[in-house]
């Protein structure tokens, strides 16, 4: 019964991936295949790239607390997603080597977004992007550096923490966990990229993607 249910979940996730791919292709065409030029388009992300590069360099030397910070952010992501799904948080612990969060609700399948969120949801990036629309244009470059730092932080956390050894991942069939992670990484990447477009922010980016995915899905019926 469990395997059949996860096959259904995997099928639904695969559908989301398939309808997201055309949207990702549209973004690629805008960024790399338009007549305005790649360099001009990449200027949208130049300060974010600087922030990401700076973090990659600095974290190689500031290693004293980096492992604990990464563990803390991992468990914090569990908590924030649990709260979004209206679950009560009972306890939260983050050590240098590991961490654990306990929340209300014991139904395994309802906890999937909560369990896998740290591997595909850059919470600090989305927090800053939510505030970015309030920043004056002349101050955006500083804010974008901070956004780039959070993106690099998430990527390095993903590289260091993702693996079959993780209880979050191996409590489900591995094919499903990784399909879910890849799909949500792509969804979030598309949202983040469009959030930098002129006259867009993270909220309008989410709406643009949701509209595209819905219309693309309906076109098959």
């Amino acid at each position: 019964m469990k395997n059949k249910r996860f096959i259904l979940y995997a099928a639904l996730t695969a559908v989301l991936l398939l309808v997201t791919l055309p949207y990702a292709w549209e973004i690629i065409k805008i960024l790399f295949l338009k007549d305005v030029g790649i360099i001009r388009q990449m200027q949208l992300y130049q300060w974010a790239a600087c922030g990401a590069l700076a973090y990659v360099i600095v974290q190689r030397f500031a290693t004293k607390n980096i492992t604990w910070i990464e563990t803390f952010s991992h468990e914090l992501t569990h908590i924030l997603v649990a709260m979004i799904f209206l679950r009560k948080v009972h306890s939260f612990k983050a050590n240098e080597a590991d961490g654990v969060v306990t929340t209300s609700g014991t139904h395994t399948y309802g906890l999937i977004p909560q369990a896998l969120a740290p591997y595909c949801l850059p919470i600090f990036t989305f927090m800053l992007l939510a505030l970015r629309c309030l920043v004056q244009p002349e101050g955006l470059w500083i804010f974008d550096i901070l956004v780039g730092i959070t993106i690099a932080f998430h990527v390095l956390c993903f590289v260091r923490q993702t693996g079959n050894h993780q209880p979050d991942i191996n409590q489900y069939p591995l094919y499903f966990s990784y399909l879910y992670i890849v799909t949500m990484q792509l969804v979030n990447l598309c949202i983040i990229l469009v959030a930098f477009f002129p006259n867009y922010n993270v909220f309008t980016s989410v709406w643009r993607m949701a509209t595209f995915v819905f219309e693309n899905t309906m076109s098959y019926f």
Side-chain angles (χ1 to χ4, degrees):
M1 185 63 181
K2 287 185 178 180
N3 287 335
K4 289 183 179 179
R5 191 170 296 184
F6 272 112
I7 290 174
L8 174 61
Y9 292 160
L12 293 174
T13 305
V15 170
L16 177 59
L17 176 61
L18 289 175
V19 297
T20 301
L21 286 173
Y23 186 70
W25 175 241
E26 288 297 320
I27 295 174
I28 290 174
K29 288 194 294 184
I30 291 173
L31 292 178
F32 300 107
L33 303 179
K34 292 290 186 180
D35 294 335
V36 294
I38 295 176
I39 294 179
R40 181 177 176 183
Q41 295 291 64
M42 290 299 99
Q43 287 178 345
L44 295 170
Y45 310 102
Q46 61 181 338
W47 294 115
C50 289
L53 180 60
Y55 179 78
V56 170
I57 295 172
V58 170
Q59 62 88 33
R60 293 182 64 88
F61 303 98
T63 58
K64 192 171 184 179
N65 293 307
I66 193 67
T67 302
W68 180 85
I69 294 173
E70 290 178 350
T71 302
F72 175 83
S73 72
H74 182 105
E75 304 306 330
L76 180 62
T77 305
H78 284 310
I79 288 177
L80 293 178
V81 175
M83 294 173 69
I84 290 173
F85 283 90
L86 304 179
R87 298 186 180 275
K88 181 179 180 181
V89 178
H90 295 303
S91 66
F92 166 43
K93 182 178 71 173
N95 299 323
E96 186 174 13
D98 55 25
V100 62
V101 170
T102 57
T103 66
S104 63
T106 58
H107 196 270
T108 302
Y109 308 108
L111 296 174
I112 290 172
Q114 176 186 334
L116 299 179
Y119 309 98
C120 52
L121 179 63
I123 57 169
F124 299 122
T125 301
F126 278 106
M127 286 178 182
L128 289 181
L129 287 176
L131 297 174
R132 187 177 184 268
C133 57
L134 303 177
V135 179
Q136 294 297 321
E138 58 270 18
L140 276 179
W141 69 276
I142 299 176
F143 211 80
D144 286 352
I145 289 175
L146 298 177
V147 172
I149 290 173
T150 65
I151 292 173
F153 176 80
H154 172 74
V155 171
L156 291 178
C157 284
F158 173 81
V159 171
R160 291 166 178 159
Q161 296 176 349
T162 306
N164 296 352
H165 63 284
Q166 288 283 7
D168 298 330
I169 293 175
N170 63 38
Q171 66 177 311
Y172 310 119
L174 292 179
Y175 72 87
F176 169 77
S177 292
Y178 287 114
L179 175 62
Y180 181 92
I181 290 170
V182 168
T183 301
M184 296 312 299
Q185 284 278 26
L186 179 62
V187 168
N188 289 324
L189 176 61
C190 290
I191 292 172
I192 291 169
L193 288 174
V194 174
F196 283 88
F197 283 9
N199 303 317
Y200 274 88
N201 57 55
V202 68
F203 303 106
T204 54
S205 176
V206 170
W207 178 252
R208 171 177 170 164
M209 181 172 188
T211 302
F212 182 95
V213 169
F214 177 77
E215 293 176 350
N216 192 40
T217 303
M218 290 300 99
S219 67
Y220 292 101
F221 297 96

